[in-house]
Amino acid sequence: MHRIAVISDTHGMLRKEVMQQACTCEAILHAGDIGGQDIMLKLREAAPVYAVKGNIDKEPLDMPEELYFTLYGFNFYMVHNRKYIKAGRNLADIIIYGHSHIYKEEHTGNVLYLNPGSCGPGRFRLAITMAVITLDEANHVFNVEKINCIKAGAKEKVHETVQQDMYSLVKNVIKDMDAGKNISGIAARNGAQEELVEKICRIYSTHQGIDVDGILNRLDIWNL
């Protein structure tokens, strides 16, 4: 069994809880928005690091924008923003991305799409998370464990539920908008406030190719 730490969006902050997990792993995957060379140096003290460049990462961070690699018989593809996934996805068992700060696991066919969320500075009401993937090389199977870097009390658990509900709402609003429904109808259909639906529709219509994660990243709903 091989433990692999998966993190993203540290934004210049490396929490002790993250390092405690990283030190138990044989490799660390960082999906971008690293926030400084010092973060990479500290991570490399724990284990070999595979990393891609995020939208905030500037020189001297010399990272590729996408990375295809193999660990213990499993093919990985990593990119910061999911919408920029390219050819490597066709060869991957596991696709890692970040950017939205929201944890998500999604199986499409035999491929796992994993966003470990953000384990850097607190952002709005989003949970502080990472993941650990355990690879069984002999049987070619793996397991993913979501790690909450800050132990969630009742308030934080409510916030995490809100995140999940918001993801579903945005996905449904996009679907209804593509079907030609108006804002009032979309709001009524989804039991949402018209003001929020209008905001989602405006972002979707003015940012060509934007996905659910991108819309959530631009909403200020988490400040409420």
Side-chain angles (χ1 to χ4, degrees), residues 29 61 78 80 88 110 125 133 188 206 219:
L29 315 185
L61 283 172
M78 187 159 59
H80 179 60
N110 295 322
R125 293 180 176 181
I133 302 176
T206 56
L219 281 174

Side-chain angles (χ1 to χ4, degrees), residues 50-78:
Y50 298 79
V52 292
K53 184 180 295 185
N55 51 280
I56 73 160
D57 294 322
K58 311 298 180 186
E59 300 297 340
L61 283 172
D62 185 20
M63 307 293 171
E65 293 184 354
E66 61 175 346
L67 190 61
Y68 176 77
F69 55 97
T70 301
L71 288 174
Y72 307 108
F74 292 84
N75 295 325
F76 286 81
Y77 175 84
M78 187 159 59

Side-chain angles (χ1 to χ4, degrees), residues 161-181:
T161 300
V162 171
Q163 284 180 223
Q164 296 166 354
D165 290 346
M166 278 298 298
Y167 191 96
S168 296
L169 172 62
V170 172
K171 187 174 182 179
N172 290 336
V173 169
I174 289 174
K175 183 178 179 180
D176 287 347
M177 190 176 176
D178 286 341
K181 300 184 185 300

Side-chain angles (χ1 to χ4, degrees), residues 10-48:
T10 45
H11 287 265
M13 178 181 185
L14 194 55
R15 295 174 182 270
K16 64 178 182 180
E17 295 87 353
V18 174
M19 285 301 293
Q20 287 170 353
Q21 291 292 335
C23 287
T24 70
C25 296
E26 297 177 57
I28 302 167
L29 315 185
H30 196 311
D33 277 4
I34 299 162
Q37 186 65 35
D38 58 326
I39 300 296
M40 292 297 297
L41 293 174
K42 290 176 183 177
L43 290 173
R44 285 171 179 155
E45 292 176 1

Side-chain angles (χ1 to χ4, degrees), residues 67-106:
L67 190 61
Y68 176 77
F69 55 97
T70 301
L71 288 174
Y72 307 108
F74 292 84
N75 295 325
F76 286 81
Y77 175 84
M78 187 159 59
V79 67
H80 179 60
N81 190 328
R82 179 169 177 164
K83 73 178 183 179
Y84 296 132
I85 290 175
K86 298 178 183 176
R89 65 182 180 186
N90 297 324
L91 303 172
D93 299 303
I94 302 172
I95 293 177
I96 307 294
Y97 66 101
H99 186 60
S100 72
H101 293 220
I102 298 174
Y103 187 96
K104 188 179 181 186
E105 293 178 38
E106 180 183 359

